[in-house]
Amino acid sequence: MDKPVVLMAEELSAAAVTALGPDIDVRHCAGADREALLAALPGADAVLIRSATRMDAEAIAAGTRLKVIGRAGVGLDNVDVAAATRAGVMVVNAPTANVVSAAELTVGLLLAVARNIPQAGAALKEGRWQRSRYTGVELSGKTLGIIGLGRIGSLVARRMAAFDMRLLAYDPYVRPEHAARSGVRMTGLDELLTEADFLTVHLPRTSETTGLIGFDALHKVKPGVRLVNAARGGIVDEGELYAALKEGRVAGAAVDVFATEPCTDSPLFELDNVVVTPHLGAGTAEAQERAGTAVATSVRQALSGRPVPEAVDMRTDAADTRPAP
């Protein structure tokens, strides 16, 4: 009997290959190369991807033997889950693999935007000693507004409590008692915007959240607020953020995610009060190993006909990182 074929469309950790086991035929292709992907899919029983491979209806249809799509990460922006369901293809992801890494990056970005760390370091490397120019602000005693109190938002809250920050959160799906366990007071979005000295975003990108932090929200913020988005591009309107930064309504921003990625050219890059990183939320060795191992295990279970707890159609939080209600 032929071995099931698993197509690795992007580089995953060695642990992922080990988790698949010796009775799987592992093949490779460059998932970002559309022609190569479509040519490789007809022979695959499963495909493992990260964020660069687009498994839309066309790609799913090309996988005539396809039984399962494994996304080694949290978000499913690049997978047409509805088309997969119609085709009878299971979709699995790793909803908890990167939560610690994403929370830690958020903390790093909060500190970076508060203390101008990247800008000051770049200036010094260019031979400019500019202590007064890069005077920052403390986090202690300030109010942090957390937009989205799921797994990542809750981890951020616990970490920032150690900085003696006052914690507010907006999330219509989280119970007050859950927030209270993290030392967080739930508020409406408008109240949070007007009271927060720092804002962090921790939501999935959906039709409801796209553009949530746009013109209206950025005209309600407390003057001098600093904003961090390490969740998903498009939740914060980049054009409106640029305008708010130029006008001084927003004192600084740290942006890890963009509406269109890869992003190598943005008006935000022109501003000295903006810290940017290339979608590093899951960019740790530990997160990549956990994600690869988790989806490989789920794919193996699916191909052997065993129940798959991480199947997206069995959960309501497929593209989210919030705990179950």
Side-chain angles (χ1 to χ4, degrees):
M1 183 177 177
D2 292 338
K3 295 180 179 181
V5 174
V6 173
L7 180 66
M8 282 201 173
E10 298 181 54
E11 184 177 352
L12 299 181
S13 68
V17 178
T18 301
L20 285 171
D23 54 342
I24 298 290
D25 182 0
V26 179
R27 301 178 187 176
H28 300 266
C29 82
D33 181 333
R34 189 67 173 178
E35 290 186 8
L37 175 68
L38 294 177
L41 280 168
D45 296 287
V47 59
L48 291 179
I49 66 172
R50 291 177 60 190
S51 58
T53 303
R54 185 162 48 92
M55 289 300 297
D56 55 12
E58 180 188 32
I60 291 166
T64 52
R65 289 171 39 183
L66 203 59
K67 300 177 182 66
V68 58
I69 299 167
R71 163 71 164 94
V74 178
L76 289 165
D77 309 59
N78 56 326
V79 179
D80 188 333
V81 177
T85 300
R86 289 194 298 270
V89 177
M90 182 184 294
V91 178
V92 298
N93 66 345
T96 63
N98 74 343
V99 293
V100 170
S101 293
E104 289 184 356
L105 178 67
T106 301
V107 173
L109 292 175
L110 280 165
L111 288 165
V113 76
R115 299 301 301 272
N116 304 305
I117 295 170
Q119 304 94 315
L124 186 55
K125 287 183 177 181
E126 293 171 359
R128 291 178 282 119
W129 183 273
Q130 297 179 311
R131 292 181 67 190
S132 59
R133 177 175 181 179
Y134 292 115
T135 300
V137 297
E138 292 184 349
L139 300 180
S140 179
K142 303 299 194 306
T143 297
L144 175 64
I146 302 168
I147 304 174
L149 197 67
R151 292 187 181 98
I152 295 172
S154 295
L155 289 177
V156 169
R158 285 162 51 189
R159 284 152 176 75
M160 299 321 296
F163 283 77
D164 295 324
M165 298 194 81
R166 174 181 176 236
L167 304 173
L168 303 180
Y170 165 74
D171 191 323
Y173 300 103
V174 171
R175 297 189 297 265
E177 56 268 28
H178 169 72
R181 287 196 295 271
S182 300
V184 180
R185 182 170 70 84
M186 301 301 294
T187 73
L189 181 58
D190 286 354
E191 181 183 352
L192 182 143
L193 293 171
T194 57
E195 292 195 23
D197 301 294
F198 291 84
L199 291 169
T200 64
V201 178
H202 306 286
L203 297 170
R205 184 172 66 186
T206 66
S207 58
E208 289 77 23
T209 64
T210 298
L212 179 68
I213 309 303
F215 179 88
D216 289 344
L218 292 171
H219 279 79
K220 294 174 181 175
V221 294
K222 185 177 184 177
V225 70
R226 289 168 171 82
L227 182 148
V228 173
N229 182 15
R232 280 289 182 268
I235 298 171
V236 177
D237 186 304
E238 292 163 26
E240 295 297 340
L241 177 60
Y242 176 84
L245 287 159
K246 288 286 284 184
E247 294 169 16
R249 284 181 282 115
V250 175
V255 182
D256 182 53
V257 290
F258 300 86
T260 301
E261 296 182 356
C263 177
T264 57
D265 184 21
S266 167
L268 292 171
F269 298 173
E270 304 166 6
L271 303 179
D272 194 41
N273 56 346
V274 173
V275 176
V276 291
T277 47
H279 203 150
L280 297 181
T284 65
E286 294 87 349
Q288 292 305 310
E289 182 162 326
R290 284 193 296 266
T293 301
V295 295
T297 299
S298 292
V299 165
R300 182 175 177 80
Q301 289 171 328
L303 293 178
S304 63
R306 287 179 286 160
V308 184
E310 294 303 329
V312 167
D313 59 1
M314 295 175 65
R315 304 200 318 275
T316 59
D317 64 339
D320 197 358
T321 54
R322 69 185 68 250

